[in-house]
């Protein structure tokens, strides 16, 4: 069964400057039970919402199966943590997720490549371990709501 394990909507960038300096503090309430998605704009309340340079990458997904034990979205800075969805294989396709509030269509444009911050935020060796499994960057095609819990998954060509 496929699930949405965690959701993150953060108004701030935490990984600025050099990794050796450490991340900026996390604002309260980054991890949420649901996110509202707007077509062409992204996640309401997220740092990339409505930014033209990020329209095709405003929603990011990563599979829990590829994260080291204990790692979560606050560390990898993706928006949707899934289980049972092979997100890294979906580049060029449309992913449809329905967590009970109607389908949300996301065009998967490109991989979300991990960076050197992963060794600081997750643990030594995470940057290398997440290569090829760092998730995907998506453009929302429809408005909708995603919630933590079971999710119906469909993939369109």
């Amino acid at each position: 069964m496929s699930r949405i394990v965690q959701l993150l909507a953060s108004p701030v960038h935490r990984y600025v400057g050099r990794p050796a300096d450490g991340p900026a503090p996390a604002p309260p309430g980054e991890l949420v039970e649901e996110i509202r998605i707007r077509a062409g704009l992204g996640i309401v309340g997220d740092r990339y919402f409505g930014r033209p340079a990020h329209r095709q990458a405003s929603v990011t997904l990563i599979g829990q199966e590829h994260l080291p034990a204990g790692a979560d979205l606050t560390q990898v800075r993706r928006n949707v943590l899934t289980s049972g969805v092979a997100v890294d294989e979906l580049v060029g396709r449309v992913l449809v997720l329905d967590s009970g509030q109607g389908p949300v269509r996301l065009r998967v444009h490109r991989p979300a490549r991990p960076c050197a911050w992963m060794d600081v935020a997750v643990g030594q060796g995470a940057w290398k371990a997440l290569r090829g499994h760092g998730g995907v960057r998506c453009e929302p095609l429809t408005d909708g709501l995603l919630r933590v819990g079971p999710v119906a998954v469909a993939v369109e060509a």
Side-chain angles (χ1 to χ4, degrees):
M1 173 185 272
S2 299
R3 295 186 58 78
I4 293 176
V5 179
Q6 278 185 324
L7 295 166
L8 181 135
S10 181
V12 299
H13 293 276
R14 292 192 52 223
Y15 298 162
V16 294
R18 298 178 335 178
D21 297 334
E30 282 187 318
L31 291 177
V32 295
E33 290 297 309
E34 65 182 34
I35 55 174
R36 180 160 305 282
I37 295 176
R38 298 278 313 279
L41 296 173
I43 298 169
V44 175
D46 190 69
R47 61 203 178 278
Y48 295 121
F49 182 78
R51 297 194 181 235
H54 295 280
R55 295 252 167 99
Q56 292 188 344
S58 61
V59 178
T60 56
L61 291 84
I62 191 167
Q64 184 179 38
E65 295 81 0
H66 298 293
L67 290 184
D72 69 13
L73 294 180
T74 61
Q75 296 163 304
V76 296
R77 309 307 292 163
R78 305 296 187 253
N79 302 115
V80 182
L81 179 62
T82 63
S83 175
V85 182
V87 297
D88 296 300
E89 299 172 11
L90 300 175
V91 173
R93 305 191 78 186
V94 173
L95 174 63
V96 184
L97 300 174
D98 188 341
S99 59
Q101 304 299 310
V104 174
R105 297 176 71 238
L106 303 166
R107 178 167 306 283
V108 182
H109 283 287
R110 64 182 188 270
R113 305 207 191 284
C115 65
W117 277 98
M118 296 302 99
D119 283 348
V120 172
V122 177
Q124 197 61 32
W127 180 19
K128 189 174 186 179
L130 287 171
R131 288 183 187 158
H133 304 289
V136 291
R137 298 190 183 282
C138 306
E139 173 186 8
L141 301 177
T142 57
D143 291 353
L145 190 72
L146 292 177
R147 289 191 170 155
V148 170
V151 64
V153 178
V155 178
E156 300 173 355

